[in-house]
Amino acid sequence: MSPEWKKLLNIIVLGFGFMFMFTAFQTCGNIEQTVILSLNSTEFHGSGYTSLAIIYGVFSASNIFAPSVVAVLGARLSLFISGLFYSAYIATFIQPFTWSFYTASVFIGMAAAVLWTAQGNCLTVNSKENTIGRNSGIFWALLQCSLFFGNLFIYIIWHGEARITDSDRRTVFISLTVVSLVGTFLFFLIRNVDSMENNSDCSDSDSRSLEINMIPQSAGSKALEAFKKSAKLSISKEMLLLSISMAYTGVELTFFSGVYGTCIGAMKQFGNEAKGLIGLSGIFIGIGEILGGGLFGLLDKWNRYGRNPVVLLGLAVHFIAFYLIFFNIPGDAPIASADGTDRISFMTPNKEVAMLCSFLLGLGDSCFNTQLISILGSLFSESSAPAFAIFKFVQSICAAVAFFYSNYLLLEWQLLILVIFGFFGTISFFFVEWNAATVSHSSDFSNCQPTN
């Protein structure tokens, strides 16, 4: 098998590993609050929302040291160990205790930072300038399949259920733990690939991504070098501009993964179908994510037009979705009581329009994320671990802030924040892409000049 096919196979294995892991984890996240409310035990006093706040808070802070961990352990081992923590978090629901639930929340926050840093590093090491867009799309499409399978699971299993029994809970979470472990062990199938440019591989990523000297270094010196590179990279002009785009992905992640589903479930006009529509909405979001990832990855031959058209498409798709949501969903839906809301916005609430908006939210999200992954892997190929750590730091901290204000702001104000961040995030991405294209063309022109 040629090195190029080995690299592509590594990307596919990476994608399937994440697909299995996040099918389990995202399903767990979607149903955990319902499960907690259905617990018969009076000794458990945990909250799914508190757990989410802990995870995102620790996640954002842990991105500071995540590149150092990946530098010491390598990408493959980092992926595996992080996957074990994800599985442990899910397993806490088999026999839940408050202390184990919140402790696992802290550890999974740290593991998430290492996981996503290692993912970006592994993706970059197994890609070249002309394949990074394709590989980003393939990975993203496989990852987002988890949204489809997980929410389909919710829609089928929990449809019409008023209460979850202890037996049902154990059966479901044992199954999810096994699924997560399958994805975790898939990471061991990632093969070492010698790079022609720098003789590096995914499991020994520090030689390319972190620019570690060829002289053998101690674990401490590798970690310190990675931290220095992260600090230096975070204040570069390109990274500061891209941080606005990253911030937008964090804010809109909160909206489509938490707020929008809550709005749909609070609609009394949808009748008894409202709760079931939450899972169906997630399925349509997943379809949009998968379509976008597959389209912009497999059709990366159109890359001669650059990344800007794809990001512009994502902004247009999201603006259409925000406009329709504004007209279809009443303003108090995000903060409605447990009884829901019977208010009507500017049109009679329509389930088909609500599902269309779910699809558009997923499609637009895939546009931004695939292109951000692509441009980070292209611009910072020699420092991929720090670059992706910064990406996840900005994204997660903005998601945490958005989760906080979503408990208080009406829908129209949340949509306005999304529009502002989306507009300026797109403009800042344009500037970075234009500058990257200019540098690339100048380099190509210089290489074509005759030498004496």
Side-chain angles (χ1 to χ4, degrees):
M1 184 181 293
S2 67
E4 289 304 314
W5 277 104
K6 287 183 180 180
K7 292 180 180 180
L8 179 59
L9 182 61
N10 280 346
I11 298 299
I12 294 173
V13 171
L14 182 70
F16 271 106
F18 270 74
M19 183 188 75
F20 277 99
M21 274 184 53
F22 280 87
T23 293
F25 178 69
Q26 289 183 333
T27 302
C28 173
N30 285 339
I31 67 176
E32 67 178 48
Q33 187 63 18
T34 302
V35 169
I36 288 172
L37 294 175
S38 300
L39 285 174
N40 294 322
S41 173
T42 58
E43 298 178 358
F44 186 84
H45 305 289
S47 166
Y49 300 125
T50 303
S51 171
L52 189 65
I54 292 172
I55 290 172
Y56 272 98
V58 176
F59 183 12
S60 60
S62 298
N63 280 289
I64 297 173
F65 65 77
S68 300
V69 174
V70 176
V72 174
L73 298 180
R76 183 168 58 185
L77 187 57
S78 298
L79 290 167
F80 175 74
I81 294 176
S82 299
L84 292 179
F85 281 109
Y86 271 76
S87 302
Y89 176 81
I90 298 169
T92 59
F93 286 92
I94 298 173
Q95 186 59 52
F97 297 99
T98 306
W99 68 268
S100 61
F101 178 53
Y102 286 138
T103 301
S105 300
V106 173
F107 280 112
I108 199 176
M110 293 187 288
V114 175
L115 181 84
W116 285 103
T117 301
Q119 175 270 331
N121 177 226
C122 193
L123 179 69
T124 303
V125 168
N126 284 278
S127 303
K128 293 183 179 179
E129 178 68 28
N130 63 335
T131 62
I132 184 67
R134 179 202 67 188
N135 292 346
S136 299
I138 292 173
F139 170 79
W140 191 255
L142 288 171
L143 169 64
Q144 298 308 324
C145 285
S146 62
L147 277 172
F148 177 81
F149 294 124
N151 285 287
L152 182 62
F153 177 87
I154 295 172
Y155 185 70
I156 294 174
I157 299 299
W158 304 118
H159 186 66
E161 292 285 341
R163 188 175 183 83
I164 312 303
T165 66
D166 288 346
S167 177
D168 290 339
R169 185 196 72 243
R170 292 190 185 98
T171 300
V172 168
F173 282 97
I174 288 174
S175 301
L176 292 179
T177 302
V178 171
V179 171
S180 179
L181 287 172
V182 169
T184 299
F185 280 94
L186 276 177
F187 294 137
F188 274 123
L189 297 180
I190 296 176
R191 302 174 63 183
N192 297 341
V193 179
D194 292 332
S195 172
M196 293 178 62
E197 292 83 2
N198 48 32
N199 296 320
S200 67
D201 58 69
C202 179
S203 64
D204 188 21
S205 57
D206 47 17
S207 58
R208 173 179 177 182
S209 310
L210 303 175
E211 294 180 294
I212 302 296
N213 200 306
M214 293 302 292
I215 299 175
Q217 294 177 293
S218 66
S221 61
K222 287 182 180 181
L224 180 60
E225 184 71 16
F227 179 79
K228 289 180 179 178
K229 287 186 178 296
S230 298
K232 183 177 181 181
L233 192 62
S234 65
I235 59 174
S236 65
K237 181 181 70 174
E238 292 83 3
M239 191 59 74
L240 289 174
L241 286 171
L242 288 176
S243 292
I244 305 175
S245 306
M246 298 171 188
Y248 175 63
T249 64
V251 175
E252 55 102 2
L253 168 67
T254 296
F255 184 78
F256 78 75
S257 67
V259 176
Y260 189 57
T262 301
C263 292
I264 292 175
M267 299 288 291
K268 287 186 177 180
Q269 288 79 6
F270 291 158
N272 294 331
E273 296 180 89
K275 303 303 181 185
L277 287 174
I278 298 175
L280 194 60
S281 171
I283 291 174
F284 277 98
I285 291 173
I287 293 173
E289 296 274 16
I290 295 166
L291 177 64
L295 183 65
F296 305 127
L298 299 178
L299 300 183
D300 193 52
K301 296 295 183 181
W302 290 356
N303 198 42
R304 62 181 180 273
Y305 298 114
R307 303 176 183 90
N308 284 347
V310 178
V311 173
L312 183 61
L313 173 64
L315 182 69
V317 165
H318 270 175
F319 276 14
I320 293 172
F322 299 155
Y323 179 81
L324 293 175
I325 292 170
F326 177 71
F327 273 82
N328 194 45
I329 306 293
D332 66 335
I335 56 176
S337 65
D339 296 328
T341 177
D342 53 8
R343 287 183 56 188
I344 295 177
S345 187
F346 296 94
M347 61 180 283
T348 303
N350 185 288
K351 291 179 286 188
E352 288 75 20
V353 172
M355 295 304 104
L356 172 62
C357 292
S358 298
F359 170 78
L360 295 177
L361 288 173
L363 180 61
D365 180 67
S366 70
C367 291
F368 277 93
N369 277 281
T370 55
Q371 302 314 299
L372 273 171
I373 292 172
S374 176
I375 199 169
L376 287 174
S378 176
L379 290 180
F380 308 108
S381 61
E382 302 301 326
S383 302
S384 61
F388 281 92
I390 294 170
F391 175 26
K392 286 302 172 181
F393 170 78
V394 175
Q395 186 184 63
S396 59
I397 199 169
C398 289
V401 172
F403 270 116
F404 174 77
Y405 70 63
S406 295
N407 290 314
Y408 306 99
L409 294 184
L410 295 173
L411 180 61
E412 51 263 34
W413 296 110
Q414 296 194 40
L415 292 174
L416 178 61
I417 292 173
L418 285 164
V419 168
I420 293 173
F421 270 92
F423 177 78
F424 287 105
T426 301
I427 296 299
S428 65
F429 187 97
F430 281 5
F431 278 118
V432 177
E433 173 69 2
W434 285 332
N435 184 64
T438 301
V439 172
S440 178
H441 291 159
S442 299
S443 177
D444 292 343
F445 179 78
S446 299
N447 292 336
C448 292
Q449 296 301 304
T451 57
N452 293 329

